[in-house]
Amino acid sequence: MSRGTLRVYLGLAPGVGKTFRMLDEGWRRRERGADVVVGFVETHDRPLTAAQIRDMEVVPRKIYDYRGTQIQEMDLDAVLARRPQVALVDELAHTNAPGAKNEKRWQDVEVLLEAGIDVITTVNIQHLESVNDVVEKITGIVQRETVPDAIVRKAEQIELVDITPEALRRRMAHGNIYPAEKVDASLSNFFRSGNLTALRELSLLWLADRVEDSLKKYLDDHDIKESWETRERLIVAVTGSETDEALLRRAARIASRTGAELFAVHVIDSGALQERSADTTLARELTVEFEGTFQEIMDEDVASALVAFARSERGTQIVMGSSRNRKAVQRTGVIEKVLRQARDLDVHIIAVGGEKPRRTWRRRKIGTYSWQRQVGGLVGAAVLLPLLTLALTQVRSNVSVSTVFLVYLVVVLGVASWGGVAVGLVAAIAASGLENYFFVKPLHTLEVARPDDVVAIIAFLVFAVGASIVVNLFAQRSSEAERSKAEAEILARAAATVATTRDDLVPLLDSLRAIFAVPTVALLERREGDWATELLSGEEVDLASLNARFAIDDNHVLVMAGSSLDSQDRQLIGAFAGRVAASIESQRLAHEAAARQAIAETDALRTGLLKAVSHDLRTPLATIEANVSSLLQSDVAWTSNEQHGFLVAVDREVRRLTRLVTNLLDAGRLEANIITPRYLHVALDDLVASALETIDTYGRVLAIDLPDDLPLIETDPDLAERVIANVVSNACRFGPPDQPIRINGGTTGHGLELLVIDRGPGIPEKKRAAIMASFQDLNDERSGAGLGLSVASGFMALLGGELRFDDTPGGGLTVAVELARKELA
Amino acid sequence: MTQRVLIVDDEVQILRALRMNLEARGYLVTTSQNGEEALRFVRNEPPDLVILDLELAGMSGLEVLESLRASSDLPVIILSARSGDPEKLLALDEGANDFLAKPFSIGDLVMRVRALLRGDVEELTTLATTDFTLDFVASTASRGGERLAFTEVEWKILRVLVRSGGRLVTERQLLEGVFGDGPPEDGAHLRHHVTRIRRKLEPEPARPRYVRTVPGIGFRFYNAIV
């Protein structure tokens, strides 16, 4: 007897339609002539699902009695005895009642499969063991019922019952998934759109992994080398240069958009190891941060190695950077080659070279060489000149004296260009001595017999020294060129910095410090007559010791420590200071503009608020006026009953006014940002009870359901009480009179949550954001309510929590008050 | 003997309304509009209770309370500007016995005045409300004909609360009253007992009518009959 096949409908959340699809498939098979029975179907009282069973045979459930509760489970023995071809068994992760044969339903299913019965079943992604912790992180809910991944993976077919989070939330709002009474804090929290999106992604990923498993097998079986696109795999070619960051960030964005896996690879050009030292530390760190894999390979042919790597990793896309800097010139060849070789792979060329790689400019003093180079030049002379002399003495008979002189000249110029004029001079004198001693007659003396030899030696000396100077001058010129390039760069950067933040000035000071090779550059600001350090680059030093000062404006000065500066330097720093001044000025203007903007916005807000509440203020005032002035009439003698009636009306309207004014004042306090919460440990039920004492319930019935074991919460009791009062008050005001207002509390992964559920008209999605954002868009009839909820929302933000608006299943507004958990002291 | 109440508030209309209400209930009322004068009154002719507004011109209510407490422990009810006023907590720390946020209803004020002037119920024997009866002598309780069982700690809590007769009992006071000077108990533990008491006594435990909590501060026992 062969084992039965398993088909699993995988859902991202309850209510996506798994059971419905399972039944559908059952019917399809039955219509094809299979013997199909329902082993166990959970309809959750959903009429559409129940209707879908139609007249399909249902194996009666077995009833277990557990502590006085009757629990219905699938009757495994009955299904086995019935021996259908196909059994439909809902909720694979379900835990059976104590006393059942197996602890878990998936074990029951295993038994059925072993017995040769095909099983169609359902499971939600959150019940899969491997994603359990992720789900808990996403939703804050611990799933106790889990099913081992292997059981589901073994299934012959897994089908994802996909639905967009929006559609699922609509279903929820229409009450198609759970009746309103069943919606508690954790459930409402679970169905947040963010959660659903994450769960959906998780389902797809899980499934994709699964798909890849079978694909890998297929690839191995058929020895297929071409890349197959399942999950995208992005290969990023990093170079170990400054452009890697931009490149990797772009690549990570592409990867996250397409759900691709990221592989960063650095191909070390083994043919050019000396050329430059690549620093891949940053690239490695970034790759880890983007949850990618970093690899380094060594090859002479960078392009071929890259493509080979992409193929071996089954990459689908290659991302390469193209920059305008010098290094990229060589890379251009690489890019072309990759494009040629990567036929079936997508290759993205990303421009990352707008900015030159940052280099630390070291200033070299003009006309002087470092002592290392001078010593090097001297050593060179000391080695080369004797060697040369030795060589030339061997062939003395075959070369003329002028040739000898020319050869010496080459060596002198060489050491001069390395070690500078002084070294050149020493080498020239030594060379002329050697020439004289070894080659000019009489040999082996320093005497010179012929006058023209004297002239030749002097000419040699003059020429050697002169040429040394020229070589040196050339080196100077090129160093100057380098420096002016650096100056241009610093100015360009300064220009770019204008009108941005003050912190952006720091890198500017840093480059200034580097270019002039000084230990400290600082920006000082005059505050109440004294100079204080505003920004500092380099070592902390006594400000008085800074010898170079450049005024920026009346209140700012740039100071530098270190070497004295020449006029050219001063000019440059002057230009720099001008930029800084412009930057500071534009920052000041930006601040002012922002302040003006804020004032304008506040004004608009006040106008809107005033317009909005004037109706709500006038109405109770009018009522009070009418009732009180009635009492004061002297021409009518009111009965005491009538008097009481007037007063009751006044009392009620005064309370209403009080609440409105309190909210208005609180709105003002929120706007002025002057509320400091005082955190105390309080219980949610106490907060609810005292909040309810302060409000008018408009005669609504309140159904309060708060678990006894809720932990204390650290919050400001007054603010939290007002939040709850405002939310409940709103629900009472707009909920229909014959429907209770439900107040449910519970814990979520993030803290405590209170749900206030009404069956009123609800608040359209568009307006919710406005209520939460500020006290805007309130100029309609419901202004008072909007104000109350706005204040509540503002208080929640202060308390580190959130006020969330949701649709009540079946219509109405559900407000969730999320009090974030704080560790109890 | 007629009990004397001193009201300190700089709002004439409030003074007038409070005076009329308290005098109508048989109290002898003195009023003052500033702190210095009020303190003088207290020195010359000590009242039995002070109602003190925190927002006074000149010397602040908190300062008045401070110098008052330096020499006397007579009951003080604080009137604060709004419910979330941080000064309210300061005043309670400073030794105020109870508080009331403006605007308040006269009923609430009178209840607090009565509770504070009555002092502790010395002979605690029985309490009968419309919902339950408590017999402190026999340690028995019933609700709608049904017997209620309380633990020893619950009886202790009930004793402290009922004896206070509507006064504000801070969490610390209740802990001391119940557990004495023993090892410090934490508030969560106390709350647990209170929740159980509510479930037995209250007709609607989620909206307690008798054993009420003042969040973050303490408890208050309300009895409609008082």
Side-chain angles (χ1 to χ4, degrees), chain A residues 494-561:
Chain A
T497 312
V498 168
T500 53
T501 66
R502 188 158 288 210
D503 287 342
D504 287 354
L505 284 171
V506 174
L508 228 64
L509 295 188
D510 287 340
S511 19
L512 202 63
R513 187 165 59 90
I515 201 173
F516 291 104
V518 293
T520 304
V521 176
L523 178 68
L524 304 186
E525 192 179 50
R526 201 206 305 267
R527 292 179 201 141
E528 291 153 14
D530 290 325
W531 290 102
T533 312
E534 171 76 15
L535 293 171
L536 177 79
S537 167
E539 302 157 22
E540 194 97 42
V541 290
D542 180 18
L543 292 177
S545 76
L546 302 183
N547 45 14
R549 285 178 166 249
F550 301 88
I552 291 170
D553 57 29
D554 289 347
N555 291 315
H556 292 89
V557 63
L558 191 73
V559 292
M560 292 171 77

Coordinates of all heavy atoms in Angstrom, one line a residue, chain A residues 494-561:
Chain A
A494 N 33.2 73.6 0.2 CA 32.7 74.7 1.0 C 31.4 75.2 0.3 O 30.4 75.4 1.0 CB 33.7 75.8 1.1
A495 N 31.5 75.3 -1.0 CA 30.3 75.9 -1.7 C 29.1 74.9 -1.5 O 28.0 75.3 -1.3 CB 30.7 76.0 -3.2
A496 N 29.4 73.6 -1.6 CA 28.4 72.7 -1.5 C 27.8 72.7 -0.1 O 26.6 72.3 0.1 CB 28.9 71.3 -1.8
T497 N 28.5 73.1 0.9 CA 28.1 73.0 2.3 C 27.2 74.2 2.6 O 26.4 74.1 3.6 CB 29.3 73.1 3.2 OG1 30.2 72.1 2.7 CG2 28.9 72.7 4.6
V498 N 27.2 75.2 1.8 CA 26.4 76.4 2.2 C 25.0 76.0 2.3 O 24.5 75.2 1.6 CB 26.6 77.5 1.1 CG1 25.6 78.5 1.2 CG2 28.0 78.0 1.2
A499 N 24.3 76.6 3.3 CA 22.9 76.4 3.5 C 22.6 75.0 4.1 O 21.4 74.6 4.1 CB 22.1 76.7 2.3
T500 N 23.5 74.3 4.5 CA 23.2 73.0 5.1 C 23.5 73.2 6.6 O 23.7 74.3 7.1 CB 24.0 71.8 4.5 OG1 25.3 72.2 4.6 CG2 23.5 71.5 3.1
T501 N 23.5 72.1 7.3 CA 23.6 72.3 8.8 C 25.0 72.6 9.2 O 26.0 72.4 8.5 CB 23.2 71.0 9.5 OG1 24.1 70.0 9.2 CG2 21.8 70.6 9.0
R502 N 25.1 73.1 10.4 CA 26.4 73.5 11.0 C 27.3 72.3 11.1 O 28.5 72.4 11.0 CB 26.1 74.1 12.4 CG 27.3 74.7 13.0 CD 26.9 75.7 14.0 NE 26.3 76.9 13.4 CZ 26.4 78.1 13.9 NH1 27.0 78.3 15.1 NH2 25.9 79.2 13.3
D503 N 26.7 71.1 11.4 CA 27.6 69.9 11.6 C 28.3 69.6 10.3 O 29.4 69.0 10.3 CB 26.7 68.7 11.9 CG 26.3 68.8 13.4 OD1 26.9 69.6 14.1 OD2 25.3 68.1 13.7
D504 N 27.7 70.0 9.2 CA 28.4 69.8 7.9 C 29.7 70.6 7.7 O 30.5 70.3 6.8 CB 27.5 70.1 6.7 CG 26.4 69.0 6.6 OD1 26.5 68.0 7.4 OD2 25.5 69.2 5.8
L505 N 29.9 71.6 8.6 CA 31.1 72.4 8.5 C 32.3 71.6 9.0 O 33.4 71.9 8.7 CB 30.9 73.7 9.3 CG 30.1 74.7 8.6 CD1 29.8 75.9 9.6 CD2 30.7 75.3 7.4
V506 N 32.0 70.6 9.8 CA 33.1 69.9 10.5 C 34.0 69.2 9.5 O 35.2 69.4 9.5 CB 32.6 68.8 11.5 CG1 33.7 68.0 12.0 CG2 31.9 69.6 12.6
P507 N 33.5 68.5 8.5 CA 34.4 67.9 7.5 C 35.2 68.9 6.8 O 36.4 68.7 6.3 CB 33.5 67.2 6.5 CG 32.1 67.3 7.0 CD 32.1 68.0 8.3
L508 N 34.6 70.1 6.6 CA 35.3 71.2 6.0 C 36.5 71.6 6.8 O 37.6 71.8 6.3 CB 34.4 72.4 5.9 CG 34.3 73.1 4.5 CD1 33.7 72.1 3.5 CD2 33.4 74.3 4.6
L509 N 36.3 71.7 8.1 CA 37.4 72.1 9.0 C 38.5 71.0 8.9 O 39.7 71.2 8.9 CB 36.9 72.2 10.4 CG 36.0 73.4 10.7 CD1 35.8 73.6 12.2 CD2 36.5 74.7 10.1
D510 N 38.0 69.7 8.8 CA 38.9 68.6 8.8 C 39.8 68.7 7.5 O 41.0 68.5 7.6 CB 38.1 67.3 8.7 CG 37.5 66.9 10.0 OD1 37.9 67.5 11.1 OD2 36.5 66.1 10.0
S511 N 39.2 69.0 6.4 CA 40.1 69.1 5.2 C 41.0 70.2 5.3 O 42.1 70.2 4.8 CB 39.2 69.1 3.9 OG 37.9 69.5 4.1
L512 N 40.5 71.3 5.9 CA 41.4 72.5 6.0 C 42.6 72.1 6.9 O 43.8 72.5 6.6 CB 40.6 73.6 6.7 CG 41.1 75.0 6.5 CD1 41.1 75.4 5.1 CD2 40.3 76.0 7.4
R513 N 42.3 71.3 7.9 CA 43.4 70.9 8.8 C 44.4 70.0 8.1 O 45.6 70.1 8.2 CB 42.8 70.1 10.0 CG 43.7 69.8 11.1 CD 43.0 69.4 12.3 NE 42.1 68.2 12.1 CZ 42.5 67.0 12.2 NH1 43.7 66.7 12.6 NH2 41.6 66.0 11.9
A514 N 43.8 69.1 7.2 CA 44.7 68.2 6.5 C 45.5 69.0 5.5 O 46.7 68.7 5.3 CB 43.8 67.2 5.8
I515 N 44.9 69.9 4.8 CA 45.6 70.5 3.7 C 46.8 71.4 4.2 O 47.8 71.5 3.6 CB 44.6 71.4 2.8 CG1 45.2 71.6 1.4 CG2 44.3 72.7 3.4 CD1 44.2 72.2 0.5
F516 N 46.6 72.0 5.4 CA 47.7 72.8 5.9 C 48.5 72.1 6.9 O 49.4 72.7 7.6 CB 47.1 74.1 6.5 CG 46.6 75.0 5.4 CD1 45.2 75.1 5.2 CD2 47.4 75.7 4.5 CE1 44.7 75.9 4.2 CE2 46.9 76.5 3.5 CZ 45.6 76.6 3.3
A517 N 48.2 70.8 7.1 CA 49.0 70.0 8.0 C 49.1 70.6 9.4 O 50.2 70.7 9.9 CB 50.3 69.6 7.4
V518 N 48.0 71.1 9.9 CA 48.1 71.7 11.3 C 47.3 70.8 12.2 O 46.4 70.1 11.8 CB 47.5 73.2 11.3 CG1 48.4 74.1 10.5 CG2 46.1 73.2 10.8
P519 N 47.7 70.9 13.5 CA 47.0 70.0 14.5 C 45.5 70.4 14.8 O 44.7 69.6 15.1 CB 47.9 70.0 15.7 CG 48.6 71.3 15.6 CD 48.8 71.6 14.2
T520 N 45.2 71.7 14.7 CA 43.9 72.1 15.2 C 43.4 73.2 14.3 O 44.1 74.1 13.9 CB 44.0 72.7 16.6 OG1 44.5 71.7 17.4 CG2 42.6 73.1 17.1
V521 N 42.1 73.1 13.9 CA 41.3 74.2 13.3 C 40.0 74.3 14.0 O 39.4 73.3 14.3 CB 41.0 73.9 11.8 CG1 40.2 75.0 11.2 CG2 42.3 73.7 11.0
A522 N 39.7 75.5 14.4 CA 38.5 75.7 15.2 C 37.7 76.9 14.7 O 38.2 77.8 14.1 CB 38.8 75.8 16.7
L523 N 36.4 76.8 14.9 CA 35.5 77.9 14.6 C 35.0 78.4 16.0 O 34.4 77.7 16.8 CB 34.3 77.4 13.8 CG 33.3 78.5 13.4 CD1 33.8 79.5 12.5 CD2 32.0 77.9 12.8
L524 N 35.3 79.7 16.2 CA 34.9 80.3 17.5 C 33.7 81.2 17.3 O 33.6 81.8 16.3 CB 36.1 81.1 18.1 CG 37.4 80.4 18.3 CD1 38.4 81.3 19.0 CD2 37.2 79.1 19.0
E525 N 32.9 81.2 18.3 CA 31.8 82.1 18.3 C 31.8 83.0 19.5 O 32.1 82.5 20.6 CB 30.5 81.3 18.3 CG 29.3 82.1 17.9 CD 28.0 81.2 17.9 OE1 27.8 80.5 18.8 OE2 27.3 81.3 16.9
R526 N 31.4 84.3 19.3 CA 31.4 85.2 20.4 C 30.1 85.0 21.1 O 29.0 85.3 20.5 CB 31.6 86.6 20.0 CG 32.1 87.5 21.1 CD 31.7 89.0 20.8 NE 32.2 89.5 19.5 CZ 33.3 90.1 19.4 NH1 34.1 90.3 20.4 NH2 33.6 90.6 18.2
R527 N 30.1 84.6 22.4 CA 28.9 84.5 23.2 C 29.0 85.4 24.4 O 29.9 85.2 25.2 CB 28.6 83.1 23.6 CG 28.3 82.2 22.4 CD 28.1 80.8 22.9 NE 28.2 79.8 21.8 CZ 28.8 78.7 21.9 NH1 29.3 78.3 23.1 NH2 28.9 77.9 20.9
E528 N 28.2 86.4 24.4 CA 28.2 87.4 25.5 C 29.6 87.9 25.8 O 30.1 87.9 26.9 CB 27.7 86.7 26.8 CG 26.2 86.4 26.8 CD 25.8 85.3 27.7 OE1 26.6 84.9 28.5 OE2 24.7 84.8 27.5
G529 N 30.3 88.3 24.7 CA 31.6 88.9 24.8 C 32.7 88.0 24.8 O 33.9 88.4 24.5
D530 N 32.5 86.7 25.2 CA 33.6 85.8 25.2 C 33.6 84.8 24.0 O 32.6 84.5 23.5 CB 33.6 84.9 26.5 CG 33.8 85.7 27.7 OD1 34.7 86.7 27.6 OD2 33.2 85.5 28.7
W531 N 34.9 84.5 23.6 CA 35.0 83.6 22.5 C 34.8 82.1 23.0 O 35.5 81.7 23.9 CB 36.3 83.7 21.8 CG 36.4 85.0 21.0 CD1 37.0 86.2 21.4 CD2 35.7 85.3 19.8 NE1 36.9 87.2 20.5 CE2 36.1 86.7 19.5 CE3 34.9 84.6 18.9 CZ2 35.6 87.3 18.3 CZ3 34.4 85.3 17.8 CH2 34.8 86.6 17.5
A532 N 34.0 81.4 22.3 CA 33.8 80.0 22.7 C 33.9 79.1 21.5 O 33.6 79.6 20.4 CB 32.4 79.8 23.3
T533 N 34.4 77.9 21.7 CA 34.5 77.0 20.5 C 33.2 76.5 20.1 O 32.4 76.0 20.8 CB 35.4 75.8 21.0 OG1 36.5 76.3 21.6 CG2 35.8 75.0 19.7
E534 N 32.9 76.8 18.8 CA 31.6 76.3 18.2 C 31.9 75.0 17.6 O 31.1 74.1 17.8 CB 31.2 77.4 17.2 CG 30.0 77.0 16.4 CD 28.7 77.1 17.1 OE1 28.7 77.7 18.2 OE2 27.7 76.5 16.7
L535 N 32.9 74.9 16.8 CA 33.3 73.7 16.1 C 34.8 73.5 16.2 O 35.5 74.4 16.2 CB 32.9 73.7 14.6 CG 31.4 73.8 14.3 CD1 31.2 74.0 12.8 CD2 30.7 72.5 14.7
L536 N 35.2 72.2 16.3 CA 36.6 71.9 16.5 C 37.0 70.7 15.6 O 36.3 69.7 15.6 CB 36.9 71.6 18.0 CG 38.3 71.3 18.3 CD1 39.2 72.5 18.4 CD2 38.4 70.6 19.7
S537 N 38.1 70.9 15.0 CA 38.7 69.8 14.3 C 40.1 69.6 14.8 O 40.9 70.5 14.8 CB 38.7 70.0 12.8 OG 39.5 69.1 12.1
G538 N 40.4 68.4 15.2 CA 41.8 68.1 15.7 C 41.9 68.1 17.2 O 40.9 68.0 17.9
E539 N 43.1 68.4 17.6 CA 43.3 68.3 19.1 C 42.7 69.4 19.8 O 42.6 70.5 19.3 CB 44.8 68.3 19.4 CG 45.6 67.2 18.7 CD 47.1 67.5 18.5 OE1 47.5 68.4 19.3 OE2 47.7 67.0 17.6
E540 N 42.3 69.1 21.0 CA 41.8 70.2 21.9 C 43.0 71.0 22.4 O 44.0 70.4 23.0 CB 41.1 69.5 23.1 CG 40.3 70.4 23.9 CD 38.8 70.3 23.5 OE1 38.3 69.2 23.2 OE2 38.2 71.3 23.5
V541 N 43.0 72.3 22.1 CA 44.2 73.0 22.6 C 43.7 74.3 23.3 O 42.5 74.7 23.2 CB 45.1 73.4 21.5 CG1 45.9 72.3 21.0 CG2 44.4 74.2 20.4
D542 N 44.6 75.0 24.0 CA 44.2 76.3 24.6 C 44.0 77.2 23.4 O 44.8 77.4 22.5 CB 45.4 76.7 25.4 CG 45.1 78.1 26.0 OD1 43.9 78.4 26.1 OD2 46.1 78.7 26.5
L543 N 42.8 77.8 23.4 CA 42.5 78.7 22.3 C 43.4 79.9 22.1 O 43.7 80.3 21.0 CB 41.0 79.2 22.5 CG 39.9 78.2 22.5 CD1 38.6 78.8 22.8 CD2 39.9 77.5 21.1
A544 N 44.0 80.3 23.3 CA 44.9 81.5 23.2 C 46.2 81.1 22.4 O 46.8 82.0 21.8 CB 45.3 81.9 24.6
S545 N 46.5 79.8 22.3 CA 47.7 79.5 21.7 C 47.6 79.4 20.1 O 48.5 79.3 19.4 CB 48.2 78.1 22.1 OG 47.4 77.1 21.6
L546 N 46.3 79.5 19.7 CA 46.1 79.5 18.2 C 46.5 80.8 17.6 O 46.0 81.9 18.0 CB 44.6 79.2 18.0 CG 44.1 77.8 18.6 CD1 42.7 77.6 18.2 CD2 45.0 76.7 18.1
N547 N 47.5 80.7 16.8 CA 48.1 81.9 16.3 C 47.6 82.5 15.0 O 47.8 83.7 14.7 CB 49.6 81.7 16.2 CG 49.9 80.4 15.5 OD1 49.0 79.8 14.9 ND2 51.2 80.0 15.6
A548 N 46.8 81.8 14.3 CA 46.2 82.4 13.1 C 44.7 82.5 13.2 O 44.0 81.6 13.5 CB 46.6 81.4 11.9
R549 N 44.3 83.8 13.0 CA 42.9 84.0 13.2 C 42.3 84.7 11.9 O 43.0 85.5 11.3 CB 42.6 85.0 14.3 CG 42.8 84.4 15.7 CD 42.6 85.5 16.8 NE 42.4 84.7 18.0 CZ 41.3 84.7 18.7 NH1 40.2 85.3 18.3 NH2 41.2 84.0 19.8
F550 N 41.2 84.2 11.5 CA 40.5 84.8 10.3 C 39.1 85.2 10.7 O 38.3 84.3 11.1 CB 40.5 83.8 9.2 CG 41.9 83.4 8.8 CD1 42.5 82.3 9.4 CD2 42.6 84.1 7.8 CE1 43.8 81.9 9.1 CE2 43.9 83.7 7.5 CZ 44.5 82.6 8.1
A551 N 38.8 86.4 10.7 CA 37.5 86.9 11.0 C 36.5 86.4 10.0 O 36.7 86.5 8.8 CB 37.4 88.4 11.2
I552 N 35.4 85.9 10.4 CA 34.3 85.4 9.4 C 33.2 86.5 9.4 O 32.9 87.1 8.4 CB 33.7 84.1 9.9 CG1 34.8 83.0 9.7 CG2 32.5 83.8 9.0 CD1 34.5 81.7 10.2
D553 N 32.7 86.8 10.6 CA 31.8 88.0 10.7 C 32.1 88.5 12.1 O 33.0 88.1 12.8 CB 30.4 87.6 10.4 CG 29.9 86.5 11.3 OD1 30.3 86.4 12.5 OD2 28.9 85.8 10.9
D554 N 31.2 89.4 12.5 CA 31.4 90.0 13.8 C 31.5 89.0 15.0 O 32.2 89.3 15.9 CB 30.3 91.0 14.1 CG 30.4 92.2 13.2 OD1 31.5 92.3 12.5 OD2 29.4 93.0 13.1
N555 N 30.8 87.9 14.8 CA 30.7 87.0 16.0 C 31.4 85.7 15.7 O 31.3 84.8 16.6 CB 29.3 86.8 16.3 CG 28.7 88.1 16.9 OD1 29.3 88.7 17.8 ND2 27.5 88.4 16.5
H556 N 32.0 85.5 14.6 CA 32.7 84.2 14.3 C 34.1 84.4 13.8 O 34.4 85.4 13.1 CB 31.9 83.5 13.2 CG 30.5 83.0 13.7 ND1 29.4 83.8 13.6 CD2 30.2 81.9 14.3 CE1 28.4 83.2 14.1 NE2 28.8 82.0 14.6
V557 N 35.0 83.6 14.3 CA 36.3 83.7 13.8 C 36.9 82.2 13.6 O 36.5 81.3 14.4 CB 37.2 84.5 14.8 CG1 37.2 83.9 16.2 CG2 38.6 84.7 14.3
L558 N 37.7 82.1 12.6 CA 38.3 80.8 12.3 C 39.7 80.8 12.8 O 40.5 81.8 12.5 CB 38.3 80.6 10.8 CG 38.6 79.2 10.3 CD1 37.5 78.3 10.6 CD2 38.9 79.2 8.8
V559 N 40.1 79.9 13.6 CA 41.5 79.9 14.2 C 42.2 78.6 13.8 O 41.6 77.5 13.7 CB 41.5 80.1 15.7 CG1 41.0 81.5 16.1 CG2 40.7 79.0 16.4
M560 N 43.5 78.7 13.6 CA 44.3 77.5 13.3 C 45.6 77.5 14.1 O 46.1 78.6 14.4 CB 44.7 77.6 11.8 CG 43.6 77.4 10.8 SD 44.1 77.7 9.2 CE 45.0 76.2 8.8
A561 N 46.0 76.4 14.5 CA 47.2 76.2 15.2 C 48.3 75.7 14.3 O 47.9 75.2 13.2 CB 47.1 75.2 16.4

